[in-house]
């Protein structure tokens, strides 16, 4: 059964935005956010591994992840503009073709470095994944 966040992606984005706002807030942590007295803070689930053999691939993965995030944001903005009727039919066609070419190029770059599009979806721990699930 799909969770409420999966049924309503907008709610998931709101939750991520709220979590990010809390994470980057300059205010002191709220008492409920502090670890209980006497309890050790949990260690990170994963540590950074600086393996010289994979550093190039890992760097490419990070860069492609950021590019894919921006591509998806641009695609959502384009769909919003189409829904609003802000674009002419010619602009819609050109925008659609450009986004398809960009997606194809991203796929080609992933193949070139032995990655899949799923490899680009970073796990942010309690926040979930960086990119929304593929439709």
């Amino acid at each position: 059964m799909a969770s409420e966040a999966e049924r309503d992606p907008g709610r998931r984005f709101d939750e991520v935005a709220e979590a990010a706002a809390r994470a980057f807030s300059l205010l002191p942590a709220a008492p409920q956010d502090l670890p209980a007295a006497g309890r050790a803070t949990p260690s990170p689930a994963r540590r950074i591994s600086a393996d010289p053999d994979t550093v190039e691939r890992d760097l490419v993965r990070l860069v492609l992840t950021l590019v894919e995030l921006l591509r998806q944001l641009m695609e959502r903005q384009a769909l919003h503009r189409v829904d609003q009727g802000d674009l002419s039919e010619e602009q819609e066609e050109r925008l659609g073709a450009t986004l398809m070419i960009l997606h194809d190029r991203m796929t080609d770059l992933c193949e070139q470095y032995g990655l899949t599009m799923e490899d680009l979806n970073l796990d942010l721990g309690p926040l979930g994944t960086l990119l929304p699930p593929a439709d």
Side-chain angles (χ1 to χ4, degrees), residues 13 40 57:
F13 295 132
R57 183 177 184 269

Side-chain angles (χ1 to χ4, degrees), residues 27-34:
L27 299 175
Q32 68 269 18
D33 294 335
L34 297 173

Side-chain angles (χ1 to χ4, degrees), residues 6-67:
E6 290 171 345
R7 288 187 301 250
D8 184 9
R11 184 167 186 270
R12 182 169 182 232
F13 295 132
D14 290 343
E15 290 173 356
V16 171
E18 289 173 19
R22 284 193 311 270
F24 294 111
S25 175
L26 296 177
L27 299 175
Q32 68 269 18
D33 294 335
L34 297 173
R39 259 186 35 205
T41 58
S43 63
R46 292 173 35 180
R47 297 196 180 266
I48 295 174
S49 174
D51 183 5
D53 298 332
T54 63
V55 71
E56 179 183 3
R57 183 177 184 269
D58 294 342
L59 181 59
V60 167
R61 179 180 176 208
L62 178 61
V63 170
L64 289 178
T65 297
L66 293 173
V67 171

Side-chain angles (χ1 to χ4, degrees), residues 12-13 16 118 120-134:
R12 182 169 182 232
F13 295 132
V16 171
E118 291 79 28
L120 304 182
N121 201 358
L122 301 178
D123 182 7
L124 302 177
L127 296 176
T129 56
L130 178 64
L131 304 171

